[in-house]
Amino acid sequence: MSFEVPENCNYLESHEWVSVTDGTATIGISDFAQDELGDVVFVELPSEGDELAQGDEFGVVESIKAVSDLYSPVSGTVTDINDELESTPELVNEDPFGDGWMLEVEVDDESELDDLLSADEYRDQIE
Amino acid sequence: MPLRKPPLRNHHDERGATFTEFGGWDMPVEFDSIKEEHLSVRDSVGIFDVSHMGEIEVSGPDAEQLMQRLTTNDVTQLSAGDSQYSMITDEDGNIIDDTVVYRLPDDDEADYLFIPNAGHGEQMHDRWKQFRNEWELDAEIRNATDDYAMYAVQGPDAADAVGEATEESVTDLSKFEAMYATVAGVRCWIARTGYTGEDGFELICPWDDAETVWDAFDCQPCGLGSRDTLRTEMGFLLSGQDFNHENDPRNPYEAKVSFTVKLDTEFVGRDALERAKEEGVEETFVGFQLIDRGVPRHGYDITNTDDTIIGTVTSGTMSPTLSEPIGLGYVPTDYADPGTVIRVMVRGRSKKAKIESTPFLNDK
């Protein structure tokens, strides 16, 4: 089975992705992660204004069969969260890199992206 | 110890199933999506491979007496082709296992067949032999777990699916009735039983014919994941979780299965259960729904509104039918009335919940 691994994202080994545009990071979980979890039924996210350090736990994603902590790929301030996931958590399964995004963070230091996996490196991890 | 494999392990793997260890067996947990499989069973029909369940055959002149004395229900009520849900209890009346007991046709080699849970087959086989010897009864006991595959076809359209697949008419069977019938040329023991809350049938066929029988059904394959969400919505017990003889012994009154206990019969644990009935129980099995957001899971603490721990979640999930987080567990009887507000510690956070009557689905 092949999973979507967009080139414009960086990845954590724990399967979160991050994509940075104009200093704002969008964060979610990968196609591989949503497939492993199965039907996502609940996503717990931080509040706007929360400060996150790289590697901090920022929330929880639960599927029918499993529960997983979520870790932040970058340091910064939460500027937006995906409210849609409260009523339709299945968006994480349906469109993990699109409508299933989880939060936006104003990035403190973009050089942190160098600590993360590239698309190729992440692909190697899940294959 | 290597996991035991059901006869269709490779067949399910090729179909894209994911697997989990259950009772020492490597079983399919999910074929497509737990939610999709669950809703297929609630809306139409699905088929489960439950070949990990044990099969013990009991025969001989004293077979009935042995069965009567080792299970809590009244086996003398069973005619050939009947079955009953029953408990196997210890001297203290605590549940060792739950089971379905079948009375086989008179011309069958065995008189009774009963179905222990996965991983309990050997233990029950030994228990039956031990008591047979102790009581000097004339009965033969055979652990036939490796001889048979077992499937459950469940859902409102199960009768159509099983009716079409069988040569003989099985759709006239009442609930808990069973008969031999032929599926794709294979003789199967087919019972109108199941553990999903839906109409349905369970089929037992020879291990070597497992694939022929499975392939005779063109319906949604379902794994243990959806089996668990379906039975949780019904408030049905899961062995090892909702009763666990080693870690959290419970008697049938606590576990709300007193309908399986016939105190006018003689069985191991009867006297203890008579006392339990007279004295009442201090804790009881309940269903609850989380009011706050979150998902309750096995092992989480249940507290009262003063944050005092009063129990443990034994099963919990997000109900695919209701889209609500539901759970099961034992609480002091003072907290057992529907509507009572309790709290569940979900990953260190106290979440509001309320006791609900089971089954959680009103129309079941």
Side-chain angles (χ1 to χ4, degrees), chain A residues 17-32:
Chain A
W17 59 262
V18 58
S19 159
V20 180
T21 310
D22 298 334
T24 299
T26 308
I27 295 168
I29 65 166
S30 72
D31 189 24
F32 173 83

Side-chain angles (χ1 to χ4, degrees), chain B residues 282-347:
Chain B
E282 291 179 2
E283 294 185 349
T284 187
F285 191 58
V286 293
F288 61 85
Q289 181 178 326
L290 235 55
I291 299 166
D292 289 337
R293 297 183 71 229
V295 184
R297 304 214 184 245
H298 173 73
Y300 289 1
D301 286 333
I302 299 173
T303 72
N304 62 14
T305 49
D306 296 329
D307 297 331
T308 303
I309 294 173
I310 57 169
T312 307
V313 177
T314 52
S315 290
T317 189
M318 181 69 81
S319 158
T321 308
L322 302 169
S323 296
E324 298 285 354
I326 58 170
L328 302 168
Y330 292 87
V331 297
T333 52
D334 290 351
Y335 293 91
D337 288 338
T340 305
V341 173
I342 55 167
R343 302 191 76 91
V344 177
M345 291 300 288
V346 176
R347 301 166 58 81

Side-chain angles (χ1 to χ4, degrees), chain A residues 24-27 48 77-82 101-106:
Chain A
T24 299
T26 308
I27 295 168
E48 283 176 38
T77 308
V78 178
T79 53
D80 197 7
I81 59 164
N82 186 355
W101 68 278
M102 292 179 172
L103 66 162
E104 285 187 352
V105 172
E106 191 181 303

